[in-house]
Amino acid sequence: MVKDCSTDTVARAVREYEGVTRKREIGDMIRSLRIESPDIVASFGEDAAVIRHNAEDALLLAADGIWSRLMEADPFWAGYCAVLVNVHDIAAMGGRPVAMVDILSVTDDRIRDEVTRGMVAASAQFGVPIVGGHLHPETPYSVVDVAILGTARMDQLIFSNTAEEGDVVVAAIDLDGRVHPACCFNWDSVTMKSAEAVRAQIRVMEDLGKERLVTAGKDISNPGVIGTLGMLLEVSGKGAVIDLEAIPRPDLSAIGLSFEQWVRMYPGMGFILTVNPANVEEVCRRFADVGITAAAIGEVNGTGRLSVRYLGRETQVFDLDRNGIMGIFSDGGVCR
């Protein structure tokens, strides 16, 4: 049972979390960048851009960066996460990652060596090679950014903006992990796993896409499980009510975590999905087969608002129509 929390405190913690508020700059920037192209099937608002390669196949292109504060706290983990988050972005689209390039800016050789050691460890574990990039040595700051290329069949893609009213919201998280010692908002469930185990977990999303078992999906990123769901609903133009009690979680009291902290965590392996009710049991079983706990946590509606429910009380977290997390479509534009 969820202890010592209320819908009001959870809603406020998520709304005010830096992992959420940092996303608000995205919309203004995108409006100055967007250029239409007939071969771009999807772009801003998705975990990866979808580029038409031929009639049947798509190229997936994504990039992500790591907060400088994580670089300073643990450069090995920062390098590992730079690869991890990009692999997740391709998997979340129902794709298969192919290769990566990086841009590394470092203040000194020690940080460079630790970051690259983390990148190599994750690259080898997930089987996705790093094939080039760029180095800025002796900079006044340390930052690592990675771009990734993936592939998918056009008919197996999983988008963020295709959730439908009446869909069930499913959260899938690998609970077999630990709070990373370098970051209290990172749940590490990957570094201790075998390559075979993590690759099997990633392949689940590809299989769900091939069999059209989900209607929409995203990997759970810095905004945490509730914030990431808010981003999915924002680009889908939908709302949802979720039950806090249903969100997968470890024994929080045993590891000294509050529920408010857990729902803001970046999980080493986690996805938020919307699923036709008829497919929920099968989707959860697929995740369970690879050691990921998946559960139905709510239902998609047409309100444009995301609310949380617990012990008979309901609180709105986001009014996505009036004040979206990213603000990408405040001008009325659409993702694709």
Side-chain angles (χ1 to χ4, degrees):
M1 184 175 180
V2 176
K3 295 181 179 179
D4 302 322
C5 81
S6 71
T7 55
D8 289 342
T9 59
V10 170
R12 186 182 311 111
V14 172
R15 268 196 309 268
E16 297 175 356
Y17 179 43
E18 190 175 9
V20 171
T21 60
R22 281 166 54 93
K23 300 291 184 183
R24 292 174 184 160
E25 304 293 329
I26 293 175
D28 289 339
M29 183 187 71
I30 284 176
R31 278 183 284 279
S32 67
L33 289 176
R34 181 179 285 139
I35 298 174
E36 298 299 326
S37 170
D39 289 325
I40 306 303
V41 177
S43 56
F44 300 110
E46 298 293 341
D47 287 313
V50 180
I51 305 161
R52 193 184 310 278
H53 184 53
N54 55 46
E56 296 182 346
D57 302 307
L59 299 175
L60 304 178
L61 187 63
D64 219 322
I66 300 301
W67 289 4
S68 58
R69 66 179 64 177
L70 186 56
M71 289 281 282
E72 295 160 3
D74 189 333
F76 174 90
W77 177 237
Y80 188 101
C81 284
V83 170
L84 177 65
V85 296
N86 276 278
V87 170
H88 278 175
D89 282 342
I90 300 300
M93 300 291 295
R96 180 172 297 183
V98 175
M100 298 169 286
V101 294
D102 70 279
I103 299 176
L104 181 58
S105 304
V106 291
T107 56
D108 57 57
D109 291 349
R110 181 194 68 83
I111 291 180
R112 179 200 65 199
D113 293 345
E114 281 298 291
V115 171
T116 54
R117 191 169 67 87
M119 292 171 66
V120 168
S123 173
Q125 192 175 15
F126 285 92
V128 187
I130 299 167
V131 296
H134 186 78
L135 173 66
H136 294 292
E138 300 177 357
T139 55
Y141 52 83
S142 292
V143 176
V144 58
D145 304 291
V146 169
I148 189 167
L149 179 69
T151 61
R153 287 182 56 88
M154 292 292 295
D155 59 3
Q156 75 179 52
L157 289 163
I158 299 172
F159 294 99
S160 298
N161 71 336
T162 46
E164 301 174 0
E165 289 184 46
D167 282 346
V168 175
V169 178
V170 172
I173 304 172
D174 185 353
L175 304 181
D176 179 23
R178 59 167 186 161
V179 178
H180 195 278
C183 183
C184 64
F185 286 105
N186 283 187
W187 179 255
D188 175 14
S189 63
V190 284
T191 59
M192 69 289 292
K193 303 287 171 62
S194 68
E196 180 183 15
V198 297
R199 294 181 195 185
Q201 291 180 332
I202 288 295
R203 282 196 300 271
V204 170
M205 291 299 293
E206 185 178 353
D207 292 339
L208 294 178
K210 284 180 179 177
E211 299 180 42
R212 311 310 304 161
L213 290 174
V214 302
T215 57
K218 292 186 80 66
D219 70 302
I220 300 173
S221 55
N222 273 334
V225 61
I226 298 173
T228 300
L229 174 60
M231 293 165 65
L232 182 153
L233 295 170
E234 180 180 357
V235 296
S236 287
K238 298 294 188 294
V241 178
I242 62 171
D243 292 304
L244 296 181
E245 181 67 32
I247 294 174
R249 60 196 181 277
D251 185 342
L252 298 179
S253 60
I255 56 179
L257 276 187
S258 68
F259 186 78
E260 289 88 344
Q261 184 174 348
W262 173 250
V263 295
R264 290 177 288 172
M265 297 281 271
Y266 166 72
M269 192 70 68
F271 300 93
I272 193 80
L273 309 165
T274 60
V275 182
N276 184 289
N279 295 329
V280 170
E281 184 177 350
E282 177 63 15
V283 168
C284 292
R285 185 191 67 78
R286 298 287 183 97
F287 281 111
D289 286 346
V290 294
I292 295 177
T293 300
I297 66 170
E299 183 174 321
V300 177
N301 58 44
T303 64
R305 301 178 181 89
L306 173 57
S307 299
V308 292
R309 183 167 52 208
Y310 180 59
L311 294 180
R313 181 174 175 81
E314 190 173 301
T315 301
Q316 179 178 292
V317 185
F318 302 109
D319 183 337
L320 298 163
D321 284 341
R322 300 181 60 183
N323 188 23
I325 297 170
M326 299 174 288
I328 294 179
F329 310 124
S330 59
D331 60 353
V334 293
C335 179
R336 58 186 178 89

